[in-house]
Amino acid sequence: MRREFTSNGISRQQMNSNPFVQFELWMQQASEANLTLPNAMSLATSDVDEVSVRTVLLKSFDEQGFVFFTNYHSKKSQQIQENPNAALLFPWLDLERQVKISGRVEKISTLDSIKYFSSRPKDSQLGAWASNQSGFLSSRQALLTQFEAMKNKFKKGEVPLPDFWGGYRVIPHRIEFWQGRENRLHDRFVYLKQDKDWIIERLAP
């Protein structure tokens, strides 16, 4: 299962001084490469008992941070409430690339959650109402029954935003760009937040 990395690598001169501009470039290249769900990211959260990781979808990003949406009663939300620090990983392995992000997590505004929720397909909106995310479920039929109940409840008019559902923003203090190289001598550049500025350092592979 061993595979040699063959990319030409990256140099310090190629890295934009702004990590969000650099991320946007790599995200664009991942999209143009037709990767499956280039916005899929691993999200790691923790509490005093355990560390959890799962795949979620990045829905927007800017210099304020990286936004995803979830049920506020889910396990990830419970862990974030206890420990508002998290890590993200974008595994663009077909491009021999990864991006690792660490930062503090905060809820986005209700207005921004409403804007995104209203853009979702109606069945996805109903799914948010139907699922007690991370809760125990007696059967799949029980979930489908709840989904049908929500379809009936909201069959007229728009589906409102549940008060238990919305967005989180990961506000980074560390962003690492990883490019695979031959002989496992990978290129790694990390952006570290210092006050209002970002400094860039090369890391050993």
Side-chain angles (χ1 to χ4, degrees):
M1 296 179 67
R2 183 176 180 83
R3 169 183 166 178
E4 191 62 63
F5 294 101
T6 59
S7 76
N8 293 326
I10 50 177
S11 67
R12 171 64 182 84
Q13 291 71 28
Q14 292 174 304
M15 305 299 292
N16 194 283
S17 60
N18 185 321
F20 299 99
V21 174
Q22 185 64 43
F23 180 84
E24 183 176 21
L25 173 63
W26 274 27
M27 174 63 81
Q28 179 181 350
Q29 292 172 348
S31 298
E32 292 173 349
N34 294 318
L35 302 187
T36 301
L37 292 176
N39 64 323
M41 58 186 184
S42 299
L43 166 66
T45 56
S46 66
D47 54 28
V48 295
D49 295 319
E50 65 177 317
V51 177
S52 300
V53 64
R54 76 290 285 163
T55 300
V56 298
L57 297 179
L58 175 70
K59 288 303 181 180
S60 66
F61 70 93
D62 55 26
E63 296 203 9
Q64 296 182 65
F66 301 81
V67 175
F68 66 93
F69 292 84
T70 190
N71 186 309
Y72 286 146
H73 296 164
S74 64
K75 182 171 183 177
K76 70 177 78 66
S77 295
Q78 293 172 10
Q79 289 187 320
I80 287 169
Q81 291 170 30
E82 186 168 331
N83 174 18
N85 297 288
L88 305 173
L89 172 68
F90 292 85
W92 297 324
L93 299 185
D94 285 349
L95 297 179
E96 301 178 350
R97 288 177 172 175
Q98 299 181 77
V99 179
K100 296 165 58 180
I101 299 167
S102 300
R104 179 173 55 85
V105 188
E106 67 176 21
K107 285 183 179 181
I108 68 172
S109 71
T110 301
L111 179 59
D112 286 339
S113 289
I114 291 173
K115 288 179 180 178
Y116 172 70
F117 188 79
S118 64
S119 73
R120 303 181 88 202
K122 186 170 184 178
D123 281 353
S124 295
Q125 295 174 340
L126 295 171
W129 277 97
S131 175
N132 178 24
Q133 194 176 102
S134 300
F136 292 108
L137 199 62
S138 61
S139 67
R140 180 166 183 81
Q141 186 55 50
L143 177 63
L144 296 178
T145 298
Q146 182 64 8
F147 180 75
E148 291 300 319
M150 293 300 103
K151 285 180 69 174
N152 184 62
K153 179 178 180 179
F154 298 115
K155 63 183 177 182
K156 297 180 180 179
E158 297 181 354
V159 180
L161 173 74
D163 60 5
F164 53 81
W165 196 96
Y168 282 112
R169 176 182 291 106
V170 179
I171 304 168
H173 58 76
R174 179 186 177 100
I175 304 177
E176 179 187 329
F177 295 84
W178 181 101
Q179 179 73 66
R181 296 293 299 272
E182 62 183 358
N183 302 319
R184 298 300 189 260
L185 300 177
H186 312 307
D187 288 326
R188 298 173 62 192
F189 288 96
V190 62
Y191 293 71
L192 300 170
K193 189 71 176 291
Q194 289 193 348
D195 297 323
K196 295 183 179 181
D197 299 320
W198 291 92
I199 64 169
I200 307 175
E201 299 285 356
R202 179 185 277 273
L203 300 177

